[in-house]
Amino acid sequence: MPTIIDVAKKAGVSKSTVSRVLSGQGYASQEATRKVQEAVRELNYVPNFLARNFRKSQTKTIGFIVNGSIKGAASFLEHFITIAESFGYEVILYSCQADKKRELDYLDFLKYKQVDAFFILTRSNDWPTILAYQQYGPLATWHRIDSKQIYSSYIDHYQVYLELGQELLAQKKRVLFVLNRRRTENTKSALRAITALKKHGLVAQNCFETDVAKLIATAQEGFDTVFFYMDKLACEFHYRWQKLKQPQLDIISLDNTTSSHLLDITSVDMDLKTQAQNCFSYLYNQLNQTTLPLQKKRPTLVIRQSWQPIQTKFKFLEVKTAVSY
């Protein structure tokens, strides 16, 4: 396999000139550049990026790990990429498909200096296993985790559910809470809020079902409000509920995606842009020994036709009334 020294000999230039041409950094004359490019083609030379990255302080690349579908986090990824690119960083998406070994193979890229840092959207391995890689580069996550070794950006779901639940209690609503998997920290926080609300008289039932047909059957059992943990499920439910010409039903959701806007569903904007910005800022600060400030996250209740609160002021939530079309 040809080396950079072989390229230099073939082109009749110094090794440092070859390095400048290949890296695009530093000056090289047009003639020297032409000779190096011709030598690279003739020798079929492939630069040793691994060795180069060991010598360099950074690759200016951040890995973005996701297990399973990314549909629910497309907006977060878009914000993260936009912010990273504004600082000169490239973002590479690594899909593990719930394969623990593949996830660890990707995390090894930190060890081999193929990426500078990793953002973990969703994980397969346990945290102790993942945290062992923190010695090779900084880690951030969208998971809710309290750790000094990995940055976690999240909105406190306890406060979201508590404040909206208090409003539903004041309206004397019978509420069906459609929640995510029991083991997630956000679900645990939501359950604590719902339990507290039930003690104060809220008539409510928890549900972990994602099959819309079954959710419709459950909602028909005397509920007048359904509170979903994500827009995607809320919108599908709302569409099919209307197709069946069922009685009016209040719907609340989380995420405030385009779908909730199109179907006029009241939803909580979880300030994904700020969450993404804070995650990148943390990684950037760790890599560059800087102090980019972390921004305050501001969840906002976007009021639409599907449900409207009596009050418009909350301690934790901001409120915005969306324009209906």
Side-chain angles (χ1 to χ4, degrees), residues 127 141-146 152-158 185-186 189 192:
W127 284 120
T141 183
W142 205 17
H143 284 275
R144 180 170 177 170
I145 176 176
D146 294 316
S152 173
S153 180
Y154 61 87
I155 297 291
D156 188 351
H157 282 217
Y158 176 85
E185 292 301 319
N186 283 335
S189 294
R192 288 200 303 272

Side-chain angles (χ1 to χ4, degrees), residues 141-177:
T141 183
W142 205 17
H143 284 275
R144 180 170 177 170
I145 176 176
D146 294 316
S147 170
K148 294 181 180 179
Q149 297 172 286
I150 181 170
Y151 177 76
S152 173
S153 180
Y154 61 87
I155 297 291
D156 188 351
H157 282 217
Y158 176 85
Q159 293 295 335
V160 172
Y161 277 81
L162 186 66
E163 289 198 347
L164 292 182
Q166 288 171 339
E167 175 66 18
L168 292 168
L169 176 59
Q171 293 184 11
K172 298 182 180 180
K173 297 290 187 178
R174 288 176 51 86
V175 187
L176 177 64
F177 288 99

Side-chain angles (χ1 to χ4, degrees), residues 10 23 36 39 58 75 109 136 184 191 234 279 285 291:
K10 181 75 173 177
S23 66
V36 170
Q58 288 190 30
S75 295
F109 291 172
Y136 305 113
T184 68
L191 286 170
C279 284
N285 288 340
T291 55

Side-chain angles (χ1 to χ4, degrees), residues 176-194:
L176 177 64
F177 288 99
V178 181
L179 302 167
N180 198 359
R181 300 183 303 276
R182 294 177 187 267
R183 72 182 183 92
T184 68
E185 292 301 319
N186 283 335
T187 298
K188 292 176 183 177
S189 294
L191 286 170
R192 288 200 303 272
I194 294 167

Side-chain angles (χ1 to χ4, degrees), residues 1-7 18 22 36-37 39-52 55:
M1 180 179 293
T3 67
I4 192 171
I5 295 175
D6 297 322
V7 174
V18 175
L22 295 179
V36 170
Q37 290 173 343
V40 166
R41 285 194 296 271
E42 290 178 14
L43 294 173
N44 196 25
Y45 171 71
V46 178
N48 188 340
F49 288 106
L50 180 57
R52 183 188 301 174
R55 292 191 296 271

Side-chain angles (χ1 to χ4, degrees), residues 23-40:
S23 66
Q25 298 178 350
Y27 173 77
S29 68
Q30 290 185 346
E31 180 63 16
T33 299
R34 182 186 64 77
K35 289 180 178 180
V36 170
Q37 290 173 343
E38 286 182 359
V40 166

Side-chain angles (χ1 to χ4, degrees), residues 22-280:
L22 295 179
S23 66
Q25 298 178 350
Y27 173 77
S29 68
Q30 290 185 346
E31 180 63 16
T33 299
R34 182 186 64 77
K35 289 180 178 180
V36 170
Q37 290 173 343
E38 286 182 359
V40 166
R41 285 194 296 271
E42 290 178 14
L43 294 173
N44 196 25
Y45 171 71
V46 178
N48 188 340
F49 288 106
L50 180 57
R52 183 188 301 174
N53 290 339
F54 267 117
R55 292 191 296 271
K56 291 169 59 180
S57 59
Q58 288 190 30
T59 65
K60 305 292 283 187
T61 302
I62 295 175
F64 195 101
I65 290 180
V66 59
N67 282 278
S69 173
I70 198 171
K71 291 180 180 179
S75 295
F76 185 98
L77 175 58
E78 183 179 356
H79 291 312
F80 191 91
I81 290 174
T82 299
I83 295 163
E85 287 181 342
S86 71
F87 281 84
Y89 280 79
E90 185 177 12
V91 178
I92 299 178
L93 179 64
Y94 297 100
S95 178
C96 301
Q97 299 300 324
D99 186 325
K100 291 185 177 182
K101 183 181 181 304
R102 185 186 298 182
E103 183 177 76
L104 296 182
D105 288 342
Y106 289 145
L107 288 170
D108 275 337
F109 291 172
L110 279 175
K111 187 187 305 184
Y112 302 133
K113 308 299 182 185
Q114 292 174 270
V115 298
D116 297 328
F118 262 114
F119 177 84
I120 301 171
L121 184 77
T122 48
R123 65 181 172 88
S124 290
N125 289 278
D126 57 38
W127 284 120
T129 300
I130 292 173
L131 288 173
Y133 289 84
Q134 192 267 345
Q135 62 183 303
Y136 305 113
L139 302 170
T141 183
W142 205 17
H143 284 275
R144 180 170 177 170
I145 176 176
D146 294 316
S147 170
K148 294 181 180 179
Q149 297 172 286
I150 181 170
Y151 177 76
S152 173
S153 180
Y154 61 87
I155 297 291
D156 188 351
H157 282 217
Y158 176 85
Q159 293 295 335
V160 172
Y161 277 81
L162 186 66
E163 289 198 347
L164 292 182
Q166 288 171 339
E167 175 66 18
L168 292 168
L169 176 59
Q171 293 184 11
K172 298 182 180 180
K173 297 290 187 178
R174 288 176 51 86
V175 187
L176 177 64
F177 288 99
V178 181
L179 302 167
N180 198 359
R181 300 183 303 276
R182 294 177 187 267
R183 72 182 183 92
T184 68
E185 292 301 319
N186 283 335
T187 298
K188 292 176 183 177
S189 294
L191 286 170
R192 288 200 303 272
I194 294 167
T195 299
L197 291 162
K198 286 180 178 179
K199 290 180 179 178
H200 285 85
L202 180 67
V203 180
Q205 177 179 321
N206 304 330
C207 176
F208 300 90
E209 181 61 64
T210 57
D211 183 282
V212 174
K214 292 180 180 179
L215 284 173
I216 288 174
T218 303
Q220 290 172 330
E221 297 174 3
F223 294 99
D224 46 33
T225 303
V226 185
F227 191 149
F228 290 88
Y229 75 93
M230 66 180 299
D231 277 347
K232 182 177 181 296
L233 194 56
C235 291
E236 185 179 352
F237 175 93
H238 179 64
Y239 174 77
R240 292 177 62 177
W241 184 265
Q242 288 191 324
K243 289 276 286 186
L244 293 171
K245 297 182 179 180
Q246 295 293 315
Q248 179 65 37
L249 190 69
D250 291 332
I251 296 178
I252 311 169
S253 185
L254 302 182
D255 291 340
N256 190 39
T257 60
T258 302
S259 298
S260 63
H261 170 77
L262 293 175
L263 293 181
D264 225 5
I265 292 176
T266 295
S267 186
V268 179
D269 189 322
M270 302 302 275
D271 198 1
L272 295 185
K273 183 176 181 179
T274 301
Q275 289 193 59
Q277 180 175 338
N278 284 350
C279 284
F280 174 78

